[in-house]
DNA sequence: CTTGAAACTTCGGGCAC
DNA sequence: GTGCCCGAAGTTTCAAG
């Protein structure tokens, strides 16, 4: 899979506004509609573009609480546990990391109670030995689009 | 700002596919094009919808390395530091958290060298006392869309 | 608040180049 | 790869429930 300059330009524009039509993109980038469209199709087919989504203000939807949870677990069960965690709706990120803890989880909740239930829930998962919960006091940045 | 069931249904559909037209959404949800459109406009105006973006496979673009960096800093300079970090392109998330460390940073890089330069760079920022870098071995989930 | 229909605009795809 | 054209699909407007 090789991307040339034009593919990258298309990607960058779609990152900023996924609703741009092939026509508008063509005008903006000086390419024809057909070219743009075939490149987008290619990028979708190769799964470079995995989909299109709306960026939502989580806080306005009630998700006012973000937590980061460190998990220490039985080494041979980590993958199973992570798979389990990934299924939970509130969970936004599950990272297997180097260092003292095995797994880092980022999750969002509508209330302190929801968080509390969540932590209780995972503490009771088999093979999880310990959890450390950090509450996010302020989110200075949360933007996983990359140029 | 109050969202009713219909607003939520629209949002959920846009989370899954931001390119759906008002017409298609209307057919799918049993509402008229005009109603859908006026609700979307309202959601955009209220900044519940902050924008639309393409979901990109970072790894296919070369960002094969994710790191999570804990930062300990002079207490009264934390906000300044976070603002600074948020400006850096590779940085996807900056969280001010409770616990032993002050700030957690998630960033993505194209190479080990890029990460190394990044860590050196932030270690030299004034008022940062210590940093602990974790390399992400595996990302089990990374999806900040919430239902 | 909602709607359906008409008017107008823009879209994507096919064809010739 | 581009430009043009067409039918399909998009949005906007409006009168009315």
């Amino acid at each position: 899979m090789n991307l040339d300059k034009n593919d990258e330009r298309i990607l960058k524009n779609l990152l900023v506004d996924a609703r741009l039509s092939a026509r508008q993109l063509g005008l903006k980038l000086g390419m024809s509609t057909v070219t743009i469209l075939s490149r987008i199709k290619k990028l979708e087919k190769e799964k470079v573009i995995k989909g299109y989504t709306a960026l939502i203000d989580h806080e306005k939807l009630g998700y006012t609480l973000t937590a980061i949870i460190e998990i220490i677990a039985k080494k041979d069960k980590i993958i199973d546990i992570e798979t389990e965690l990934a299924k939970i709706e509130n969970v936004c990120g599950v990272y297997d990391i180097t260092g003292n803890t095995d797994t880092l989880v980022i999750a969002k909740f509508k209330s302190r109670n929801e968080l509390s239930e969540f932590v209780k829930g995972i503490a009771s998962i088999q093979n999880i030995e310990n959890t450390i919960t950090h509450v996010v006091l302020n989110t200075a940045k949360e933007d996983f689009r990359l140029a």
Side-chain angles (χ1 to χ4, degrees), chain A:
Chain A
M1 186 62 209
N2 263 359
L3 303 180
D4 66 13
K5 280 285 167 218
N6 284 331
D7 290 321
E8 281 178 28
R9 289 207 295 157
I10 293 171
L11 280 178
K12 280 189 195 177
N13 276 277
L14 287 176
L15 280 177
V16 175
D17 183 0
R19 306 195 70 157
L20 284 171
S21 68
R23 240 190 175 66
Q24 288 170 307
L25 274 171
L27 288 173
K28 195 169 172 188
L29 303 180
M31 291 184 264
S32 83
T33 309
V34 185
T35 309
I36 299 282
L37 210 61
S38 65
R39 281 169 183 266
I40 291 179
K41 286 269 164 64
K42 181 189 68 183
L43 292 167
E44 288 173 351
K45 197 174 166 189
E46 308 269 354
K47 306 275 187 220
V48 176
I49 297 175
K50 293 187 288 186
Y52 303 92
T53 191
L55 292 169
I56 304 281
D57 187 324
H58 300 127
E59 299 219 354
K60 292 206 170 115
L61 279 190
Y63 289 93
T64 50
L65 197 60
T66 302
I68 292 175
I69 300 134
E70 297 180 58
I71 294 176
I72 297 166
K74 282 233 181 72
K75 299 301 171 199
D76 60 332
K77 298 295 182 190
I78 291 176
I79 292 182
D80 297 343
I81 291 169
E82 289 177 352
T83 308
E84 215 49 48
L85 289 168
K87 285 182 195 159
I88 303 172
E89 247 197 335
N90 298 291
V91 172
C92 297
V94 178
Y95 302 94
D96 197 296
I97 60 173
T98 58
N100 293 331
T101 52
D102 303 310
T103 304
L104 204 70
V105 172
I106 300 180
K108 289 180 185 284
F109 305 92
K110 290 189 175 175
S111 67
R112 223 154 260 277
N113 196 44
E114 252 187 51
L115 166 59
S116 164
E117 290 300 320
F118 176 80
V119 174
K120 270 189 233 161
I122 61 171
S124 70
I125 292 180
Q126 271 212 326
N127 298 309
I128 288 189
E129 295 182 347
N130 195 16
T131 66
I132 304 168
T133 302
H134 306 267
V135 172
V136 173
L137 302 172
N138 178 48
T139 303
K141 183 175 188 178
E142 191 169 77
D143 185 349
F144 285 76
R145 298 174 293 176
L146 283 174

